Amino acid sequence: MAETLQSIIVRGSLLPGAKLNEHALAQKLEVSRGALREAVRMLERSGIVVIVPNRGVFVRELSVKDALDLFDVRHGIAAVAGRLGAMRATDKQLDELVALHEGMCQACEVRDLSRYFDLNSRFHTLIYETANNPRLADLDHRLSMELHLFRRRNLGNAVMLKASLREHKAIVDGFQERDSVAAATAFQKHIQSGRERMLEQLPDTVAAH
């Protein structure tokens, strides 16, 4: 239930700052209001929503500083994930990484941004799965979900998409070669580039804060 509600928020159906309509959501998701409230409490612990006494539940709004702080942490753990993943990935996981990259290339060509978004999310999740460290994967999941609140789905720029795909290819190459240093460096560079792309898309008045 919490994952379903989280997906609705991450995909932009509920924008940052929006108030959750408990009755409408319970009907839409066909769940009891009690089950919905439990899901909301879980998302509050994950930093996705905030509960304001006597006012209701709201999708969390992140500042530029919040987003940059999240990128700082993701940059650090990316090195760990890339290093461990390159050493520990199974052949099946390597095959999936390649397939995901190829799928993103195809989605980019036909401008299927919804499919690109889904494949991109799975690509990042899989990298942490290859590290075979549940605590590391859980940390990235929490950071990613929070960051989506700020970043939304700013993947529409074709130039940025292609730059991201080149970075993905470098990560895949490092994994296939079992080169832990190359994989860690490529993954860190990808996170850093994502930070820079985010800043480039912000209005100057917002990016300055």
Side-chain angles (χ1 to χ4, degrees):
M1 177 62 233
E3 289 184 2
T4 301
L5 182 56
Q6 179 176 276
S7 178
I8 291 174
I9 294 172
V10 167
R11 288 178 175 275
S13 297
L14 291 169
L15 298 176
K19 183 177 181 179
L20 274 64
N21 185 319
E22 183 180 285
H23 178 68
L25 279 172
Q27 286 192 321
K28 178 180 180 179
L29 300 175
E30 299 181 340
V31 297
S32 69
R33 295 176 77 165
L36 183 64
R37 287 171 188 155
E38 178 58 30
V40 165
R41 284 192 288 270
M42 292 178 66
L43 293 191
E44 181 191 30
R45 291 193 291 271
S46 299
I48 305 299
V49 302
V50 290
I51 300 176
V52 182
N54 302 318
R55 288 189 57 202
V57 182
F58 299 82
V59 178
R60 185 180 170 200
E61 294 184 90
L62 267 69
S63 67
V64 175
K65 176 62 165 57
D66 289 330
L68 293 177
D69 287 347
L70 289 169
F71 267 110
D72 285 343
V73 180
R74 291 192 80 205
H75 184 266
I77 65 174
V80 181
R83 177 176 58 82
L84 295 178
M87 294 187 293
R88 298 176 177 177
T90 65
D91 290 342
K92 182 178 179 180
Q93 288 173 325
L94 290 178
D95 288 342
E96 185 179 356
L97 272 180
V98 173
L100 288 167
H101 175 65
E102 292 175 348
M104 280 185 282
C105 290
Q106 294 167 2
C108 181
E109 286 297 321
V110 298
R111 303 291 294 162
D112 187 343
L113 299 183
S114 179
R115 178 166 171 71
Y116 185 98
F117 176 78
D118 290 340
L119 294 174
N120 182 66
S121 295
R122 175 56 189 159
F123 184 86
H124 281 252
T125 298
L126 180 57
I127 289 176
Y128 282 89
E129 289 178 1
T130 65
N132 195 24
N133 186 317
R135 290 184 179 273
L136 186 65
D138 182 63
L139 176 57
D140 177 71
H141 177 72
R142 289 170 179 268
L143 295 171
S144 297
M145 290 302 102
E146 286 191 68
L147 193 55
H148 277 306
L149 296 176
F150 185 89
R151 190 171 52 182
R152 305 323 275 162
R153 290 175 60 178
N154 289 328
L155 292 169
N157 186 300
V159 174
M160 293 183 176
L161 278 179
K162 291 181 179 179
S164 184
L165 286 172
R166 288 193 295 271
E167 293 157 14
H168 287 164
K169 182 62 164 61
I171 296 169
V172 172
D173 288 345
F175 269 74
Q176 288 187 306
E177 294 166 8
R178 300 288 184 178
D179 187 331
S180 58
V181 174
T185 301
F187 196 23
Q188 276 197 304
K189 181 179 178 181
H190 179 53
I191 298 300
Q192 179 62 27
S193 295
R195 178 185 188 276
E196 293 169 1
R197 285 191 285 270
M198 179 198 74
L199 289 174
E200 287 173 5
Q201 294 177 80
L202 295 176
D204 292 340
T205 53
V206 176
H209 291 79

